[in-house]
Amino acid sequence: MQADDVTASTTTAEAAQASPASPSSPASPPEPSPDPAPAADPNRTTAARPRSSDGRFVRVAADAQEPTDELPDDRFLDRELSWLQFNERVLQLAADPDVPLLERARFLAIFASNLDEFFMVRVAGLKRRIATGLAIRSASGLEPDELQDEISRVAHELMLRAHGLLRDQVEPALESNGIRIVRWHELTADEQTHLSAVYRSEIFPVLTPLAVDPAHPFPYISGLSLNLAVTLTNPRTQAEHFARIKVPDLLPRLHQVSASGEVDLYHVRFVPLEDIIAAHLDLLFPGMQVQQHFLFRVTRNEDLEVEEDDAENLLKALEKELTRRRFGPPVRLEVEEGMDAHVLELLVRELGVEQHEVYRLPNPLDLRSLNTVADLQRTSLHYPAFRARTHPDLAPRERSEASDVFGAIRRKDILLHHPYNSFSTSVQAFLEQAAADPKVLAIKQTLYRTSGDSPIIDALIAAAEAGKQVVAVVEIKARFDESNNIAWARRLEHYGVHVVYGIVGLKTHAKLSLVVRQEPDGLRRYCHVGTGNYNPKTARLYEDLGVLTCDAQVGEDLTRLFNQLSGWAPRSKFKRLLVAPRSLRSGLLELIEHEAELARAGRPARVAIKANSIVDEAIIDALYRASQAGVQVDVLVRGICALRPGVPGLSDTIRVRSILGRFLEHSRIFVFGNDGDPAVYIGSADMMHRNLDRRVESLVRITRPEHVKQLEELMEQGMADTTSSWHLQDDRWVRHHRDADGQPLLDHQAALIEMHLKQRRKRTRV
């Protein structure tokens, strides 16, 4: 449920660039370039474009655009506050009694993890910009200090709500199902004796008490670590002392105990690790009197700032910056609500945090530990079991046959929808068969995030060892996966894979695979273009789309794009792809404007967008102007949305919905009515400055009519009033999950599970 990695960014808007197009078909995307186009005023957009005698649009220079009516200054919602509203929606799932109990505990853990990343990146970035004098008023109109205060107010409220929800609803429900988180004093004598033995053998040797006195300066407190602040008295001198003990993060946070000493899933009790440590402080400080102990936790700035001169230096620069990450300045101090004022004053002074950065909370701190509870194998307290199914077009025609991915792709394009379609029998099988097939000559692959035991990595290594030409474009700057990606990059290089790091200054976020195969009629290029990472683990949890195709145009496009990533091809032109940073924003702006022109001409017009976030001012303004022209605009967004729907005279025809559930909605879909011949794209890009200006992203146009229909129906179901979702009403998200009679609305993801299951049953009967 995490939001995608977020970076501090300045406001950038790209001018709409017209390119040749016919009135009856969507604009052909302008040629891409690794260099972003010049920024433009978001209040300006393309006027009605002149046409040549054959009816095609004529390219016009940005400075030839005519001025248009001003849009209101308050048209943008604040992106940071919108993100907090997204995390509030996660919290509402944790509060929903209709959600299985252990999943509610999981949503609380997700809420906490999301908020940690928000502070480490977004809040830290804002604080840094304020401190350096670089902060400017946000697009929403808030001054930096105002925004900082509002973030603090909302974050305090949400964190207190989360702890209150755990105490008042989730814990009592867990207890009624035989699951408890208990404190040390609630354990029996036998249980305490058992845990004392565990402490001496497994915990005590790991602990390092750090005193604070003239000879021992205040110790460094690592980010997100749990710590005990301990006050002590020397009985001989009566002098008071302070010490800090780090709760080891490599040990389980919650220890499972039971009266019998055996695991009983229906009578489970957990005791926090910090309670076990606190009960044995006398063993850490022999000869001293322990007075008090309090739990605290620090969040630090852990965003990376890497200035790369070239790809050769990037790896070393990033490794060096990863070391510095641990020492970023604090941005949040969480303390248990009963902490002594003098201890809190010491922590605030030594850590250098402001009062608004202090969060007094009930124990337990760090709700991420609830993942341990959520992992209990109590099937009745989880979502119903789900197993991804092989896509019908990839299933062997006979039970005795092995799957032939290449043969299936030659028959027709295959639209994949994960996790409903199995990743292992589609994308993974595609690459594994490519690695083993002696007719395959080359494999080119982008890697943004992947798992530690990735079969994708193994397939690339096997292909290289078999003598195939293998290129991996590894994005080592994928936030919080940097160390993992560095390790995989070095491993790939060791086995002969050509590892490249893309274009200097741009992250490579596109999800692409290209396989070149020798066939009787010549070379054929097999392609995969997707919306999600090549990660088998997240493919079971993230909702994503992808297309497998051997279409010649897509093959040419991917060849050009990989050449651009690994070499020098700045003026490459694409046919079925829109590619950032050069042509993706301008291409979408042109497609939106085409719908506005249709509406102004009295023709049916619509735009439907599904994305993780929509922030880019130029895209939003284009949607506003399309709405003013009469275009029906539907936006299905999981996370941040800076667009205000339903504002009279501005966005009357715009609807914004959000769906959250057991799977993380991660796919990106773009649908344009195009006067009855829908133009539909899927791909990797969200509508954010970073995606459109500072990343290599790609969208591919879907051409098979049945796939276009499938994606249109997917959008229609997500936006339907009969589907459970959140509706954005001006600046508030309102949950709609029951009808007028109090009956539950359609669960979008559960309905898709059932639909794909029926497809499988139908094929089995055939």
Side-chain angles (χ1 to χ4, degrees), residues 188 190-191 194-195 256-264 267 269:
T188 66
D190 288 344
E191 289 169 342
H194 169 71
L195 285 175
Q256 191 169 328
V257 294
S258 65
S260 64
E262 298 180 357
V263 174
D264 179 356
H267 297 87
R269 289 189 299 164

Side-chain angles (χ1 to χ4, degrees), residues 399-456:
R399 292 184 181 276
S400 59
E401 290 182 356
S403 176
D404 178 8
V405 177
F406 295 124
I409 298 172
R410 283 194 299 273
R411 285 190 289 272
K412 61 179 179 178
D413 288 1
I414 299 170
L415 182 66
L416 301 168
H417 196 188
H418 309 298
Y420 312 104
N421 297 137
S422 168
F423 182 87
S424 63
T425 60
S426 57
V427 179
Q428 182 179 321
F430 169 60
L431 291 167
E432 289 175 338
Q433 287 189 25
D437 189 341
K439 295 180 181 179
V440 168
L441 306 179
I443 302 174
K444 299 185 179 184
Q445 173 80 44
T446 62
L447 291 173
Y448 190 73
R449 301 183 193 275
T450 190
S451 59
D453 53 352
S454 173
I456 303 296

Side-chain angles (χ1 to χ4, degrees), residues 561-581:
L561 184 49
F562 273 109
N563 287 343
Q564 185 173 318
L565 291 170
S566 62
W568 287 280
R571 306 301 296 180
S572 298
K573 296 182 180 180
F574 304 102
K575 297 179 180 178
R576 274 183 62 182
L577 293 186
L578 290 173
V579 178

Side-chain angles (χ1 to χ4, degrees), residues 119-129 220 223 298-305 324-332 480:
F119 272 92
M120 289 189 293
V121 179
R122 299 303 307 178
V123 175
L126 176 61
K127 182 178 181 179
R128 182 177 64 248
R129 294 195 300 276
Y220 172 78
V298 175
T299 308
R300 293 184 176 275
N301 180 344
E302 298 205 16
D303 197 13
L304 293 180
E305 295 181 78
R324 294 177 184 169
R325 168 185 274 177
R326 299 187 303 112
F327 301 97
V331 294
R332 179 178 59 166
F480 304 124

